[in-house]
Amino acid sequence: MRIAISALRRLVAALGARSRQLGLAALGLTSLVGSAAADPQLEKTEIRYQGWAGQVTFIELADDLGYLAPLKLKWVGNTISGPQDIQTVVTGDIDIGGAFYGAIIKLIAAKAPIKAVVGYYGSDDNTYSGYYVKEDSPIKTARDLIGKKVAVNTLGAHHEFVLREYLARNGLTPAEAKQVTLVAIPPVTGEQALRQGQVELSTLGGVLRDKALERGGIRRLFADTDVFGNFTGGAYVLRDKFIKDNPNTSPS
C-alpha cells in the first residue's frame, strides 16, 4: 500500500497544475486505506459509488490506474447531483459520495449520520465553473439576467450558490434575484440548451466547457473564481456507521 500511495503522489506531480484537483481527489480516496498500510486486513475492499454522466471522475481514473489497490470501486449508477449523491450515502445504497459543502452542511444539520472526510473538487484558473451566454447575447451584466433562465446541474448546490452570490454582489435585491429562473439540466446538455435558446445562461466546466469554447459562439459572463477566487468547493462523505464498522478501510 505504501508503494501505491507513493506512486499516486508521483502521478499528481507529473500531471501538474491542470490536474491538481484530480490528484488531490485520488489521494483523498487512497487515504481510505491509510491505516491498512500498517494492517493489511481491510474489512471491506469493494467501495460502492456513483459515477457522473458524461464524465470520468477522479476516483475512477485512480482506480483504473491501480492506485487504489487493494480497494476496488463498484459502480452502481450515475448522478448529475452532489446533493443526490450524498443522500444516497445516507440511505446506505453507496459507500462514498461527494457534494458541495453547503449541501453537506444542510444534511448534517438535519442530523444525517455522515462525515466529510476529504475535499475532492475546487476551482482555480484551470479548473472552474464558468457561466456562459451566446456570443451575440445582449446580456452583459448581472442585472441583465432578470427574467432570464439559467441552466445548472442541480438545485441547492455549487452552481446555484455561486450564481446567487454573484447577483447579490452586483446589486440585485432578493426580490430581483427571484426573477432569475434556475433550470436543472444535465451538464452534458448544458451547451445544447444554451445554443438552442432554451436558456440564456449555462454553467459549463471541465472538458464540456473546453469543447464548447472550441466550437465558438459563446462567451463567459463570469466564473465562480471571479466571485470567490481559488477555493475547495466540496468533499467526499462517509456514513458514521461505515467508519465505525470499517476502521482500517476508512480514514482514522
Side-chain angles (χ1 to χ4, degrees), residues 151-210:
V152 295
N153 68 311
T154 190
L155 301 180
H158 183 109
H159 291 161
E160 178 177 356
F161 177 77
V162 171
L163 176 65
R164 296 302 185 194
E165 185 67 16
Y166 169 76
L167 297 176
R169 291 191 186 189
N170 283 276
L172 271 69
T173 66
E176 290 172 331
K178 287 181 179 179
Q179 298 177 53
V180 180
T181 302
L182 299 182
V183 182
I185 292 178
V188 292
T189 59
E191 177 191 356
Q192 179 182 3
L194 176 63
R195 294 187 187 278
Q196 292 182 348
Q198 298 172 28
V199 297
E200 286 80 22
L201 181 72
S202 185
T203 54
L204 297 170
V207 66
L208 299 177
R209 178 198 65 227
D210 295 343

Short mmCIF file of all heavy atoms in Angstrom, two decimals, residues 151-210:
data_model
loop_
_atom_site.label_atom_id
_atom_site.label_comp_id
_atom_site.label_asym_id
_atom_site.label_seq_id
_atom_site.Cartn_x
_atom_site.Cartn_y
_atom_site.Cartn_z
N ALA A 151 -29.16 27.62 -16.75
CA ALA A 151 -29.01 26.16 -16.62
C ALA A 151 -27.97 25.84 -15.55
O ALA A 151 -26.85 26.35 -15.58
CB ALA A 151 -28.58 25.55 -17.96
N VAL A 152 -28.36 24.99 -14.60
CA VAL A 152 -27.45 24.48 -13.57
C VAL A 152 -27.63 22.97 -13.51
O VAL A 152 -28.64 22.43 -13.96
CB VAL A 152 -27.74 25.10 -12.19
CG1 VAL A 152 -27.48 26.60 -12.20
CG2 VAL A 152 -29.18 24.82 -11.75
N ASN A 153 -26.64 22.27 -12.96
CA ASN A 153 -26.74 20.81 -12.94
C ASN A 153 -27.79 20.31 -11.95
O ASN A 153 -28.42 19.28 -12.16
CB ASN A 153 -25.38 20.18 -12.62
CG ASN A 153 -24.93 20.45 -11.20
OD1 ASN A 153 -24.96 21.59 -10.74
ND2 ASN A 153 -24.49 19.42 -10.50
N THR A 154 -27.98 21.05 -10.86
CA THR A 154 -28.97 20.68 -9.86
C THR A 154 -29.25 21.89 -9.00
O THR A 154 -28.46 22.84 -8.96
CB THR A 154 -28.46 19.51 -8.99
OG1 THR A 154 -29.53 19.02 -8.17
CG2 THR A 154 -27.32 19.94 -8.09
N LEU A 155 -30.36 21.87 -8.31
CA LEU A 155 -30.71 22.98 -7.42
C LEU A 155 -30.09 22.75 -6.04
O LEU A 155 -29.87 21.63 -5.62
CB LEU A 155 -32.23 23.11 -7.31
CG LEU A 155 -32.98 23.35 -8.62
CD1 LEU A 155 -34.48 23.44 -8.35
CD2 LEU A 155 -32.48 24.60 -9.33
N GLY A 156 -29.80 23.84 -5.35
CA GLY A 156 -29.31 23.75 -3.98
C GLY A 156 -27.86 23.34 -3.85
O GLY A 156 -27.47 22.82 -2.80
N ALA A 157 -27.06 23.58 -4.88
CA ALA A 157 -25.66 23.16 -4.82
C ALA A 157 -24.74 24.27 -5.34
O ALA A 157 -25.12 25.45 -5.36
CB ALA A 157 -25.47 21.86 -5.60
N HIS A 158 -23.55 23.89 -5.74
CA HIS A 158 -22.48 24.82 -6.09
C HIS A 158 -22.92 25.90 -7.08
O HIS A 158 -22.74 27.10 -6.84
CB HIS A 158 -21.31 24.01 -6.69
CG HIS A 158 -20.11 24.81 -7.04
ND1 HIS A 158 -18.93 24.75 -6.33
CD2 HIS A 158 -19.88 25.69 -8.04
CE1 HIS A 158 -18.03 25.56 -6.87
NE2 HIS A 158 -18.59 26.14 -7.92
N HIS A 159 -23.49 25.49 -8.21
CA HIS A 159 -23.82 26.44 -9.26
C HIS A 159 -24.86 27.46 -8.82
O HIS A 159 -24.75 28.65 -9.15
CB HIS A 159 -24.31 25.70 -10.51
CG HIS A 159 -23.24 24.92 -11.18
ND1 HIS A 159 -23.50 23.89 -12.08
CD2 HIS A 159 -21.88 24.98 -11.10
CE1 HIS A 159 -22.36 23.38 -12.51
NE2 HIS A 159 -21.37 24.02 -11.93
N GLU A 160 -25.85 27.02 -8.07
CA GLU A 160 -26.86 27.96 -7.58
C GLU A 160 -26.25 28.91 -6.55
O GLU A 160 -26.50 30.12 -6.58
CB GLU A 160 -28.04 27.21 -6.96
CG GLU A 160 -29.09 28.17 -6.39
CD GLU A 160 -30.31 27.48 -5.82
OE1 GLU A 160 -30.40 26.24 -5.92
OE2 GLU A 160 -31.18 28.19 -5.26
N PHE A 161 -25.45 28.38 -5.64
CA PHE A 161 -24.84 29.21 -4.60
C PHE A 161 -23.99 30.31 -5.22
O PHE A 161 -24.08 31.48 -4.82
CB PHE A 161 -23.99 28.34 -3.68
CG PHE A 161 -23.26 29.10 -2.62
CD1 PHE A 161 -23.92 29.56 -1.49
CD2 PHE A 161 -21.90 29.36 -2.74
CE1 PHE A 161 -23.24 30.28 -0.51
CE2 PHE A 161 -21.22 30.07 -1.77
CZ PHE A 161 -21.88 30.53 -0.64
N VAL A 162 -23.16 29.95 -6.20
CA VAL A 162 -22.29 30.94 -6.84
C VAL A 162 -23.12 31.99 -7.57
O VAL A 162 -22.85 33.20 -7.48
CB VAL A 162 -21.32 30.25 -7.82
CG1 VAL A 162 -20.55 31.28 -8.65
CG2 VAL A 162 -20.33 29.36 -7.06
N LEU A 163 -24.14 31.55 -8.30
CA LEU A 163 -24.99 32.49 -9.03
C LEU A 163 -25.67 33.47 -8.09
O LEU A 163 -25.69 34.69 -8.34
CB LEU A 163 -26.03 31.73 -9.85
CG LEU A 163 -27.06 32.61 -10.58
CD1 LEU A 163 -26.37 33.46 -11.65
CD2 LEU A 163 -28.16 31.75 -11.20
N ARG A 164 -26.24 32.96 -6.99
CA ARG A 164 -26.94 33.83 -6.04
C ARG A 164 -25.98 34.87 -5.45
O ARG A 164 -26.34 36.04 -5.27
CB ARG A 164 -27.57 33.00 -4.93
CG ARG A 164 -28.67 32.04 -5.37
CD ARG A 164 -29.81 32.74 -6.05
NE ARG A 164 -30.91 31.84 -6.38
CZ ARG A 164 -31.90 32.15 -7.20
NH1 ARG A 164 -31.94 33.34 -7.78
NH2 ARG A 164 -32.86 31.27 -7.45
N GLU A 165 -24.76 34.44 -5.15
CA GLU A 165 -23.78 35.37 -4.60
C GLU A 165 -23.38 36.41 -5.63
O GLU A 165 -23.22 37.60 -5.31
CB GLU A 165 -22.55 34.59 -4.12
CG GLU A 165 -21.51 35.44 -3.42
CD GLU A 165 -21.98 36.00 -2.08
OE1 GLU A 165 -22.99 35.50 -1.55
OE2 GLU A 165 -21.33 36.94 -1.59
N TYR A 166 -23.22 35.99 -6.88
CA TYR A 166 -22.87 36.91 -7.97
C TYR A 166 -23.96 37.98 -8.12
O TYR A 166 -23.65 39.17 -8.26
CB TYR A 166 -22.71 36.12 -9.26
CG TYR A 166 -22.60 36.96 -10.51
CD1 TYR A 166 -21.43 37.65 -10.83
CD2 TYR A 166 -23.68 37.06 -11.40
CE1 TYR A 166 -21.33 38.41 -11.99
CE2 TYR A 166 -23.60 37.81 -12.56
CZ TYR A 166 -22.42 38.49 -12.85
OH TYR A 166 -22.33 39.25 -14.00
N LEU A 167 -25.21 37.56 -8.09
CA LEU A 167 -26.31 38.51 -8.23
C LEU A 167 -26.33 39.50 -7.07
O LEU A 167 -26.51 40.71 -7.26
CB LEU A 167 -27.64 37.76 -8.31
CG LEU A 167 -27.84 36.82 -9.51
CD1 LEU A 167 -29.17 36.08 -9.40
CD2 LEU A 167 -27.74 37.58 -10.83
N ALA A 168 -26.15 38.98 -5.86
CA ALA A 168 -26.18 39.84 -4.67
C ALA A 168 -25.03 40.85 -4.69
O ALA A 168 -25.22 42.04 -4.37
CB ALA A 168 -26.12 38.99 -3.41
N ARG A 169 -23.84 40.39 -5.05
CA ARG A 169 -22.68 41.29 -5.06
C ARG A 169 -22.79 42.36 -6.13
O ARG A 169 -22.13 43.40 -6.05
CB ARG A 169 -21.40 40.49 -5.26
CG ARG A 169 -21.03 39.60 -4.09
CD ARG A 169 -19.63 39.06 -4.24
NE ARG A 169 -19.30 38.10 -3.20
CZ ARG A 169 -18.08 37.60 -3.00
NH1 ARG A 169 -17.08 37.98 -3.78
NH2 ARG A 169 -17.87 36.72 -2.03
N ASN A 170 -23.63 42.09 -7.13
CA ASN A 170 -23.80 43.06 -8.21
C ASN A 170 -25.08 43.87 -8.07
O ASN A 170 -25.58 44.44 -9.04
CB ASN A 170 -23.75 42.36 -9.56
CG ASN A 170 -22.33 42.00 -9.97
OD1 ASN A 170 -21.61 42.82 -10.53
ND2 ASN A 170 -21.91 40.78 -9.65
N GLY A 171 -25.61 43.91 -6.84
CA GLY A 171 -26.66 44.87 -6.52
C GLY A 171 -28.09 44.43 -6.69
O GLY A 171 -29.01 45.23 -6.46
N LEU A 172 -28.34 43.18 -7.05
CA LEU A 172 -29.73 42.74 -7.18
C LEU A 172 -30.33 42.51 -5.79
O LEU A 172 -29.69 41.94 -4.91
CB LEU A 172 -29.84 41.46 -8.00
CG LEU A 172 -29.99 41.65 -9.52
CD1 LEU A 172 -28.70 42.19 -10.12
CD2 LEU A 172 -30.39 40.34 -10.18
N THR A 173 -31.55 42.96 -5.61
CA THR A 173 -32.26 42.71 -4.36
C THR A 173 -32.74 41.26 -4.34
O THR A 173 -32.81 40.61 -5.39
CB THR A 173 -33.46 43.64 -4.23
OG1 THR A 173 -34.42 43.30 -5.24
CG2 THR A 173 -33.05 45.10 -4.39
N PRO A 174 -33.10 40.72 -3.17
CA PRO A 174 -33.65 39.37 -3.13
C PRO A 174 -34.85 39.20 -4.05
O PRO A 174 -35.01 38.15 -4.69
CB PRO A 174 -34.03 39.19 -1.66
CG PRO A 174 -33.04 40.06 -0.92
CD PRO A 174 -32.88 41.26 -1.80
N ALA A 175 -35.71 40.21 -4.12
CA ALA A 175 -36.89 40.13 -4.99
C ALA A 175 -36.48 40.07 -6.46
O ALA A 175 -37.07 39.32 -7.25
CB ALA A 175 -37.80 41.32 -4.75
N GLU A 176 -35.47 40.83 -6.83
CA GLU A 176 -34.99 40.81 -8.22
C GLU A 176 -34.31 39.48 -8.53
O GLU A 176 -34.49 38.92 -9.63
CB GLU A 176 -34.03 41.97 -8.45
CG GLU A 176 -34.70 43.33 -8.46
CD GLU A 176 -33.71 44.48 -8.50
OE1 GLU A 176 -32.58 44.31 -7.98
OE2 GLU A 176 -34.06 45.54 -9.05
N ALA A 177 -33.54 38.96 -7.58
CA ALA A 177 -32.85 37.69 -7.79
C ALA A 177 -33.83 36.54 -8.01
O ALA A 177 -33.54 35.60 -8.76
CB ALA A 177 -31.94 37.38 -6.61
N LYS A 178 -35.00 36.62 -7.38
CA LYS A 178 -36.01 35.58 -7.56
C LYS A 178 -36.56 35.55 -8.98
O LYS A 178 -37.15 34.56 -9.40
CB LYS A 178 -37.16 35.79 -6.57
CG LYS A 178 -36.80 35.44 -5.13
CD LYS A 178 -37.99 35.64 -4.21
CE LYS A 178 -37.64 35.28 -2.77
NZ LYS A 178 -38.80 35.49 -1.85
N GLN A 179 -36.34 36.63 -9.72
CA GLN A 179 -36.82 36.68 -11.10
C GLN A 179 -35.84 36.02 -12.08
O GLN A 179 -36.12 35.95 -13.28
CB GLN A 179 -37.06 38.13 -11.51
CG GLN A 179 -38.13 38.83 -10.69
CD GLN A 179 -38.28 40.29 -11.08
OE1 GLN A 179 -38.47 40.63 -12.25
NE2 GLN A 179 -38.18 41.18 -10.09
N VAL A 180 -34.72 35.56 -11.56
CA VAL A 180 -33.77 34.78 -12.36
C VAL A 180 -34.12 33.31 -12.14
O VAL A 180 -34.02 32.80 -11.02
CB VAL A 180 -32.31 35.05 -11.94
CG1 VAL A 180 -31.35 34.22 -12.79
CG2 VAL A 180 -32.00 36.54 -12.06
N THR A 181 -34.55 32.64 -13.19
CA THR A 181 -35.07 31.27 -13.07
C THR A 181 -33.97 30.24 -13.29
O THR A 181 -33.28 30.27 -14.31
CB THR A 181 -36.19 31.03 -14.10
OG1 THR A 181 -37.23 31.99 -13.89
CG2 THR A 181 -36.76 29.63 -13.95
N LEU A 182 -33.83 29.34 -12.33
CA LEU A 182 -32.86 28.25 -12.46
C LEU A 182 -33.54 27.03 -13.07
O LEU A 182 -34.64 26.65 -12.66
CB LEU A 182 -32.29 27.89 -11.09
CG LEU A 182 -31.54 29.01 -10.35
CD1 LEU A 182 -30.98 28.49 -9.04
CD2 LEU A 182 -30.42 29.56 -11.21
N VAL A 183 -32.86 26.42 -14.03
CA VAL A 183 -33.37 25.23 -14.70
C VAL A 183 -32.35 24.11 -14.54
O VAL A 183 -31.19 24.26 -14.95
CB VAL A 183 -33.62 25.49 -16.20
CG1 VAL A 183 -34.21 24.25 -16.86
CG2 VAL A 183 -34.54 26.69 -16.39
N ALA A 184 -32.75 23.01 -13.92
CA ALA A 184 -31.84 21.87 -13.72
C ALA A 184 -31.71 21.10 -15.03
O ALA A 184 -32.69 20.55 -15.54
CB ALA A 184 -32.35 20.97 -12.62
N ILE A 185 -30.49 21.08 -15.57
CA ILE A 185 -30.21 20.43 -16.86
C ILE A 185 -28.94 19.61 -16.71
O ILE A 185 -27.95 20.09 -16.15
CB ILE A 185 -30.04 21.48 -17.98
CG1 ILE A 185 -31.37 22.18 -18.27
CG2 ILE A 185 -29.49 20.85 -19.25
CD1 ILE A 185 -31.28 23.27 -19.32
N PRO A 186 -28.92 18.37 -17.19
CA PRO A 186 -27.68 17.57 -17.12
C PRO A 186 -26.52 18.33 -17.77
O PRO A 186 -26.69 18.93 -18.84
CB PRO A 186 -28.03 16.30 -17.91
CG PRO A 186 -29.52 16.19 -17.80
CD PRO A 186 -30.02 17.61 -17.81
N PRO A 187 -25.35 18.32 -17.15
CA PRO A 187 -24.20 19.06 -17.70
C PRO A 187 -23.89 18.73 -19.15
O PRO A 187 -23.47 19.61 -19.91
CB PRO A 187 -23.06 18.65 -16.77
CG PRO A 187 -23.72 18.36 -15.47
CD PRO A 187 -25.03 17.72 -15.84
N VAL A 188 -24.11 17.48 -19.56
CA VAL A 188 -23.78 17.09 -20.93
C VAL A 188 -24.67 17.77 -21.96
O VAL A 188 -24.33 17.80 -23.15
CB VAL A 188 -23.85 15.56 -21.11
CG1 VAL A 188 -22.75 14.87 -20.33
CG2 VAL A 188 -25.22 15.02 -20.72
N THR A 189 -25.81 18.31 -21.54
CA THR A 189 -26.70 19.00 -22.48
C THR A 189 -26.77 20.50 -22.21
O THR A 189 -27.57 21.20 -22.83
CB THR A 189 -28.12 18.40 -22.43
OG1 THR A 189 -28.63 18.52 -21.09
CG2 THR A 189 -28.11 16.95 -22.83
N GLY A 190 -25.93 21.00 -21.30
CA GLY A 190 -25.95 22.42 -20.98
C GLY A 190 -25.60 23.30 -22.17
O GLY A 190 -26.23 24.35 -22.39
N GLU A 191 -24.59 22.91 -22.94
CA GLU A 191 -24.20 23.69 -24.12
C GLU A 191 -25.33 23.71 -25.14
O GLU A 191 -25.66 24.76 -25.72
CB GLU A 191 -22.94 23.10 -24.75
CG GLU A 191 -22.51 23.83 -26.02
CD GLU A 191 -21.43 23.09 -26.79
OE1 GLU A 191 -20.93 22.05 -26.31
OE2 GLU A 191 -21.08 23.56 -27.89
N GLN A 192 -25.93 22.56 -25.38
CA GLN A 192 -27.02 22.46 -26.35
C GLN A 192 -28.20 23.34 -25.94
O GLN A 192 -28.79 24.03 -26.78
CB GLN A 192 -27.47 21.01 -26.48
CG GLN A 192 -28.62 20.79 -27.46
CD GLN A 192 -29.06 19.34 -27.51
OE1 GLN A 192 -28.55 18.49 -26.78
NE2 GLN A 192 -30.01 19.04 -28.38
N ALA A 193 -28.53 23.31 -24.65
CA ALA A 193 -29.65 24.12 -24.16
C ALA A 193 -29.39 25.60 -24.40
O ALA A 193 -30.31 26.36 -24.74
CB ALA A 193 -29.87 23.85 -22.68
N LEU A 194 -28.14 26.02 -24.23
CA LEU A 194 -27.78 27.42 -24.45
C LEU A 194 -27.88 27.77 -25.93
O LEU A 194 -28.50 28.78 -26.30
CB LEU A 194 -26.37 27.68 -23.94
CG LEU A 194 -25.80 29.07 -24.19
CD1 LEU A 194 -26.63 30.13 -23.46
CD2 LEU A 194 -24.33 29.14 -23.76
N ARG A 195 -27.30 26.96 -26.78
CA ARG A 195 -27.27 27.27 -28.21
C ARG A 195 -28.66 27.23 -28.84
O ARG A 195 -28.94 27.97 -29.79
CB ARG A 195 -26.33 26.30 -28.93
CG ARG A 195 -24.86 26.44 -28.54
CD ARG A 195 -23.95 25.59 -29.41
NE ARG A 195 -22.58 25.58 -28.94
CZ ARG A 195 -21.68 26.53 -29.21
NH1 ARG A 195 -22.02 27.58 -29.93
NH2 ARG A 195 -20.43 26.43 -28.75
N GLN A 196 -29.54 26.38 -28.31
CA GLN A 196 -30.89 26.27 -28.86
C GLN A 196 -31.86 27.28 -28.24
O GLN A 196 -33.03 27.31 -28.60
CB GLN A 196 -31.41 24.85 -28.65
CG GLN A 196 -30.67 23.81 -29.47
CD GLN A 196 -31.23 22.41 -29.30
OE1 GLN A 196 -32.03 22.15 -28.40
NE2 GLN A 196 -30.81 21.49 -30.16
N GLY A 197 -31.38 28.09 -27.31
CA GLY A 197 -32.21 29.13 -26.74
C GLY A 197 -33.15 28.67 -25.64
O GLY A 197 -34.06 29.42 -25.25
N GLN A 198 -32.94 27.47 -25.12
CA GLN A 198 -33.78 27.01 -24.01
C GLN A 198 -33.47 27.79 -22.74
O GLN A 198 -34.33 27.93 -21.87
CB GLN A 198 -33.56 25.51 -23.78
CG GLN A 198 -33.94 24.64 -24.97
CD GLN A 198 -33.53 23.19 -24.76
OE1 GLN A 198 -33.47 22.71 -23.63
NE2 GLN A 198 -33.25 22.49 -25.84
N VAL A 199 -32.23 28.24 -22.62
CA VAL A 199 -31.80 29.09 -21.50
C VAL A 199 -30.95 30.21 -22.06
O VAL A 199 -30.42 30.11 -23.19
CB VAL A 199 -31.00 28.29 -20.45
CG1 VAL A 199 -31.85 27.20 -19.81
CG2 VAL A 199 -29.74 27.69 -21.07
N GLU A 200 -30.79 31.28 -21.29
CA GLU A 200 -29.95 32.40 -21.73
C GLU A 200 -28.54 32.33 -21.15
O GLU A 200 -27.63 33.00 -21.65
CB GLU A 200 -30.60 33.73 -21.33
CG GLU A 200 -31.79 34.13 -22.16
CD GLU A 200 -33.08 33.42 -21.76
OE1 GLU A 200 -33.17 32.93 -20.61
OE2 GLU A 200 -34.00 33.35 -22.59
N LEU A 201 -28.37 31.55 -20.09
CA LEU A 201 -27.07 31.41 -19.44
C LEU A 201 -26.91 29.96 -19.03
O LEU A 201 -27.84 29.35 -18.51
CB LEU A 201 -27.00 32.31 -18.20
CG LEU A 201 -25.69 32.32 -17.39
CD1 LEU A 201 -24.60 33.04 -18.16
CD2 LEU A 201 -25.91 32.99 -16.03
N SER A 202 -25.71 29.40 -19.25
CA SER A 202 -25.49 28.00 -18.90
C SER A 202 -24.16 27.85 -18.18
O SER A 202 -23.17 28.48 -18.55
CB SER A 202 -25.50 27.12 -20.15
OG SER A 202 -25.39 25.74 -19.80
N THR A 203 -24.14 27.00 -17.16
CA THR A 203 -22.89 26.71 -16.45
C THR A 203 -22.17 25.58 -17.17
O THR A 203 -22.77 24.56 -17.51
CB THR A 203 -23.17 26.29 -15.00
OG1 THR A 203 -24.11 25.21 -15.00
CG2 THR A 203 -23.75 27.44 -14.22
N LEU A 204 -20.88 25.78 -17.40
CA LEU A 204 -20.06 24.78 -18.09
C LEU A 204 -18.73 24.64 -17.37
O LEU A 204 -18.14 25.64 -16.94
CB LEU A 204 -19.82 25.19 -19.54
CG LEU A 204 -21.04 25.30 -20.46
CD1 LEU A 204 -20.65 25.95 -21.78
CD2 LEU A 204 -21.67 23.94 -20.70
N GLY A 205 -18.25 23.41 -17.27
CA GLY A 205 -16.97 23.17 -16.63
C GLY A 205 -16.25 21.99 -17.24
O GLY A 205 -16.84 21.20 -17.97
N GLY A 206 -14.96 21.88 -16.95
CA GLY A 206 -14.18 20.73 -17.40
C GLY A 206 -14.12 20.60 -18.91
O GLY A 206 -14.11 21.57 -19.66
N VAL A 207 -14.11 19.34 -19.36
CA VAL A 207 -14.00 19.08 -20.80
C VAL A 207 -15.22 19.58 -21.55
O VAL A 207 -15.13 19.96 -22.72
CB VAL A 207 -13.78 17.56 -21.04
CG1 VAL A 207 -15.01 16.75 -20.62
CG2 VAL A 207 -13.42 17.29 -22.50
N LEU A 208 -16.39 19.61 -20.89
CA LEU A 208 -17.59 20.12 -21.55
C LEU A 208 -17.44 21.60 -21.87
O LEU A 208 -17.86 22.06 -22.94
CB LEU A 208 -18.82 19.89 -20.65
CG LEU A 208 -19.13 18.43 -20.31
CD1 LEU A 208 -20.31 18.35 -19.35
CD2 LEU A 208 -19.42 17.62 -21.57
N ARG A 209 -16.83 22.34 -20.97
CA ARG A 209 -16.56 23.76 -21.21
C ARG A 209 -15.52 23.92 -22.32
O ARG A 209 -15.68 24.74 -23.23
CB ARG A 209 -16.06 24.41 -19.92
CG ARG A 209 -15.69 25.89 -20.06
CD ARG A 209 -14.81 26.34 -18.90
NE ARG A 209 -13.53 25.66 -18.91
CZ ARG A 209 -12.97 25.10 -17.84
NH1 ARG A 209 -13.57 25.12 -16.68
NH2 ARG A 209 -11.79 24.51 -17.95
N ASP A 210 -14.45 23.13 -22.24
CA ASP A 210 -13.37 23.25 -23.22
C ASP A 210 -13.87 22.98 -24.64
O ASP A 210 -13.52 23.69 -25.58
CB ASP A 210 -12.24 22.28 -22.87
CG ASP A 210 -11.55 22.63 -21.56
OD1 ASP A 210 -11.72 23.78 -21.08
OD2 ASP A 210 -10.87 21.76 -21.00
#
